[in-house]
Structure formats: C-alpha cells, structure tokens
Amino acid sequence: MTGTSVSAKGRGRRTTAAVAVGMLAVTALATGCTPETAGGAQRVAPPATTDPTADAKPGGGASSPAAKPGGGASSPAANPSTAPPKPSPTKTTEAPVKSRTLISTGSQGAQVRELQARLRQIGHFDRSPTGYYGSVTVSAVRSFQGKRGLPRTGGTDTVTWQKLLGMTRKPTAAELTPPTERPAAKPDERCMTGRVLCISKNSRTLSWMIDGRVLSSMDVRFGSQYTPTREGTFSVYWKSRHHVSTLYDTPMPYAMFFSGGQAVHYSPDFAARGYSGASHGCVNVRDEGKIASLFAQVKNGDKVVVYW
C-alpha cells in the first residue's frame, strides 16, 4: 500500500510540471518570440515591408521607377523633331581681285598690237592694228569695258585683259600686221644719185635708194588739199625719234624733217585707217618696222625728192 501511494504522488508531480511547461509555451507564442530549438541559435524573422511593389536591391531602399546607376532620374528620350537645328556654314566673302594697269595711252609695242587685233575680232576696233595706244584704242577699250560691266577707264588693266583673252583667240600674223606694201613707182631722175628718200605721190610709195639702187620701199600717204605735202628736192635737216607735234599735239615717231614742219614719220592713224585719212602735210608711213629701220640708216643731209 505504501509503494502504491508513493507512485501516485510521483505521477501527480509530473503532471503538474507538464502543465506548467505548456503554459510557458503558450505565453511565448503570444509575445511573438520563437522558441529556441535544442542546440540551435535563436532565429529572428525579417521585418515586414510596407511597400509590396518595392524593388529590393543591395544596399536597401526602393529605387525610383526610372532610376539609373549613380542616382537621379533619367531624362525623357530626345525627340529628333524637336532637336535644335544645326548651324549653317559661315559664308566667306573673297577679297576683290586687285587690278593693275598693263598698257594705256602712249604705250607702244607688240602687246598693243595684239590688243587691237583681239578687239577687232569682236567688233570693237574697226582698223588695222598699229601698235600704238592712241585715242582710237582708248575708245575701243572703253566700248569693250562698258559691254562687260567693267569700269570704263579706257586703260587696259589685268581684269580687262583677262576678260578679252577669254573671249578671243590668238591673232594670226596677218591679223597683227596686215600686208600693206604697194608696188613702187619708177624712180625720178633726181633719185638716181647719192643717198635719197625717193617719194612718189602717184604710186604713194617711198623708196630708200643709194646710187640708183633701191634698198627698201614702203607705203606712204600725204597731206589733204588744204594741207598739201610740198613737192621738190629737199634734204633731211633734223631727226627726232620720239617727236610730238606742238601744233597738233600728236605723236610723230621716227620723224625726219625735210621742209619746215613737214617730215617723214610713222603714223598710227595711217596704219589703222589707211588712205581714208590724210596728214597735215607730212609724209606718213604705216609700217613701223620699216620706218624704224629707215630712221637708223638716214643721216642729216640726205636728199629727199617728192614728185608725181
């Protein structure tokens, strides 16, 4: 009886302990703690998030809808139609070409002759080239310049010359020096001896003769009926290579005076106009090359014979 009584008391104590343990477990669950497992560490549940759409990323915190690395919101995509226009290229103005005068009034030589021949090709110079830049050439150049919108200076500058070259071709030898030689007349008897300028009004020629032999001949023209060239036998008394008439203010190159103010000399007007004009009494020569050669040979005192 005694053993049974003890056993019942023991069972009663174990039941009371079990009830106590169960009450402790219920208390722990009510306070939200996790019971510790045997031999393990206590585990704590992660905190609940308040934003169900949050994008959990390393470092914590939710990113903005269009966040970029480095922070900050991205800008809207650029619209090609609203892009600023590209700047137009800057226009540059070329400096005007500086022109310089090549030939002008008083110039002589091959370039003047070429200028005249080229102007004649396009209808601005209606005469044969003379090689002398006088008033007729000035007028022709002004006409050409006016038609091309250039300043009407009458002088041939680099712009005028280049424009003319572009509109014309290189003149031929016949265009530069048209044939002008006329057949010489039979010499007068007074021309058969000595050094003589034998000048025939009938054939309009001059022959340079020494002791009856003709060394050269050239075309000549004379004065008009109001300013006739005197006839007779004379002698050269003065030579003037670059002579200019003080009475008419015109050039008289290669002048060889034989009677007062009358002389044998080169005439650009005769070279240009031919026999449509006349001198003021002088004997005009239109071939500059020939009279230049004659001027070099004739001496003061040589005879001059003018006859029909």
Side-chain angles (χ1 to χ4, degrees):
M1 291 294 292
T2 305
T4 305
S5 177
V6 172
S7 296
K9 288 180 180 180
R11 285 195 296 271
R13 286 195 294 268
R14 287 196 296 269
T15 302
T16 302
V19 171
V21 171
M23 292 178 66
L24 287 172
V26 171
T27 304
L29 288 172
T31 58
C33 293
T34 302
E36 184 179 347
T37 60
Q42 181 181 353
R43 293 187 297 178
V44 181
T49 60
T50 58
D51 186 358
T53 63
D55 183 14
K57 293 189 177 181
S63 65
S64 60
K68 289 187 175 180
S74 63
S75 59
N79 187 344
S81 63
T82 60
K86 295 182 179 180
S88 59
T90 304
K91 294 182 179 180
T92 57
T93 304
E94 295 183 0
V97 178
K98 188 175 182 180
S99 181
R100 61 183 179 86
T101 301
L102 299 176
I103 45 179
S104 57
T105 303
S107 299
Q108 300 183 54
Q111 190 174 18
V112 177
R113 190 177 290 273
E114 181 180 352
L115 168 71
Q116 294 165 336
R118 287 180 180 273
L119 288 170
R120 188 174 187 180
Q121 288 177 12
I122 53 178
H124 289 278
F125 192 79
D126 60 354
R127 307 180 181 189
S128 298
T130 66
Y132 178 77
Y133 207 119
S135 59
V136 175
T137 305
V138 169
S139 297
V141 171
R142 282 179 179 159
S143 173
F144 174 78
Q145 290 170 329
K147 289 285 187 179
R148 271 67 199 178
L150 302 175
R152 292 170 52 88
T153 64
T156 302
D157 54 22
T158 51
V159 174
T160 300
W161 181 248
Q162 289 302 320
K163 180 73 72 173
L164 181 62
L165 291 182
M167 299 182 61
T168 57
R169 55 176 171 73
K170 184 178 180 180
T172 64
E175 287 176 318
L176 292 171
T177 54
T180 59
E181 199 166 310
R182 299 169 61 87
K186 181 180 179 179
D188 186 89
E189 290 293 330
R190 293 168 290 179
C191 301
M192 301 308 294
T193 58
R195 299 163 58 88
V196 187
L197 293 173
C198 191
I199 302 168
S200 169
K201 284 189 171 182
N202 184 44
S203 64
R204 295 186 287 191
T205 59
L206 180 156
S207 296
W208 167 233
M209 302 178 63
I210 297 180
D211 295 330
R213 184 166 60 96
V214 177
L215 302 182
S216 64
S217 296
M218 58 204 73
D219 298 345
V220 293
R221 75 176 182 184
F222 307 98
S224 66
Q225 59 177 326
Y226 305 105
T227 56
T229 302
R230 291 183 281 273
E231 301 159 20
T233 301
F234 313 92
S235 63
V236 175
Y237 69 89
W238 181 35
K239 295 172 62 180
S240 179
R241 167 65 182 83
H242 300 287
H243 193 76
V244 176
S245 171
T246 56
L247 183 60
Y248 300 105
D249 193 28
T250 55
M252 298 171 56
Y254 305 104
M256 295 171 279
F257 290 89
F258 62 87
S259 177
Q262 294 188 355
V264 175
H265 67 85
Y266 171 66
S267 170
D269 183 73
F270 179 32
R273 300 173 59 195
Y275 292 101
S276 62
S279 74
H280 292 98
C282 290
V283 178
N284 292 164
V285 178
R286 65 176 171 185
D287 191 318
E288 187 176 10
K290 286 190 174 183
I291 191 149
S293 176
L294 179 64
F295 185 86
Q297 297 175 62
V298 171
K299 302 175 182 178
N300 287 341
D302 287 347
K303 190 189 310 183
V304 178
V305 176
V306 181
Y307 67 99
W308 278 100

